[in-house]
Amino acid sequence: MALRHASPRELDDNLGEFWLENPFDFQRLKGFNLSMFERNRLFFNRGDCVFADVSHLSATDIDADSRSVAVGDLDEDGRPDLVVRGVGGGPFRIFLNRIEGSRSLRVTLQSGRSNPEGIGARLQLTLGARRLHRDHFPQNSYSSQNANETLFGLGDYGGPMTLTIRWPSGHVETHNVQAGSVHFQEPDP
């Protein structure tokens, strides 16, 4: 026997509100669009563990049922850009990152020892006294997947940097790196 839950308040039919006492009563869902069309949000990491909502400044504040987002440097300027797609089709939306002074390190890996693309490697980027950690694997969301690369945001940091790679095989290596794109291949055993 399914549980039943009464509506918490009176619903407004003019707004298309509805309530199912049993959320598994799929027959009653026919004809209803469950897409929410919530406004998209983009949050900017200020670097002090605080994220600022910059949706209105970035033009990403669109009213769409966006469910897929992929990140990559589409114009090869060192800044991650966004590709967004809505449920049910419609245009792809490309948001190019135009933040000035922002630098990054893009890391790609290759291995014949662990797996071809080094998926699962652990990366540590040392910037002075600060350490940034990343796991190397393509992030994905609903109906999208990013390129198999790891991005480190550097802001305006211009000092020396050291990248330590712990490959899935257990092999560890350290390299001095600079902002931009770098590619490493795990040595054969």
Side-chain angles (χ1 to χ4, degrees):
M1 180 169 159
L3 295 174
R4 303 259 177 217
H5 300 281
S7 173
R9 62 178 174 76
E10 188 175 331
L11 302 177
D12 187 340
D13 289 333
N14 293 328
L15 294 177
E17 294 180 330
F18 66 95
W19 181 264
L20 292 178
E21 291 179 354
N22 174 2
F24 299 102
D25 187 358
F26 298 115
Q27 291 301 317
R28 291 202 48 213
L29 287 175
K30 287 185 177 179
F32 287 102
N33 182 354
L34 300 179
S35 299
M36 296 301 171
F37 290 95
E38 298 171 4
R39 299 199 76 78
N40 289 343
R41 291 283 172 251
L42 180 67
F43 294 92
F44 180 77
N45 183 351
R46 297 183 349 183
D48 56 358
C49 297
V50 174
F51 289 82
D53 184 350
V54 295
S55 308
H56 62 289
L57 298 173
S58 64
T60 58
D61 183 21
I62 56 175
D63 184 11
D65 196 10
S66 302
R67 302 294 170 131
S68 303
V69 62
V71 179
D73 187 2
L74 301 176
D75 53 1
E76 297 183 352
D77 64 357
R79 298 175 290 200
D81 306 306
L82 302 176
V83 178
V84 178
R85 178 71 187 255
V87 170
F92 281 99
R93 295 174 194 251
I94 297 175
F95 298 98
L96 296 177
N97 185 341
R98 298 292 186 217
I99 298 173
E100 294 296 325
S102 180
R103 301 170 36 158
S104 66
L105 174 67
R106 177 180 164 257
V107 180
T108 56
L109 301 176
Q110 183 177 0
S111 173
R113 188 173 171 186
S114 300
N115 61 69
E117 295 175 329
I119 294 172
R122 305 209 78 182
L123 307 177
Q124 175 184 291
L125 183 65
T126 303
L127 309 124
R130 190 170 177 203
R131 289 192 174 102
L132 303 175
H133 298 267
R134 302 282 187 274
D135 290 327
H136 184 76
F137 62 93
Q139 300 288 328
N140 57 54
S141 66
Y142 178 76
S143 296
S144 67
Q145 181 173 331
N146 297 332
N148 188 28
E149 60 189 19
T150 299
L151 295 173
F152 290 92
L154 305 175
D156 59 2
Y157 181 81
M161 297 184 291
T162 304
L163 179 68
T164 301
I165 305 169
R166 180 175 300 278
W167 294 91
S169 67
H171 175 75
V172 178
E173 55 188 74
T174 301
H175 303 274
N176 293 324
V177 294
Q178 297 178 352
S181 295
V182 293
H183 177 80
F184 295 102
Q185 182 164 347
E186 181 179 22
D188 292 328

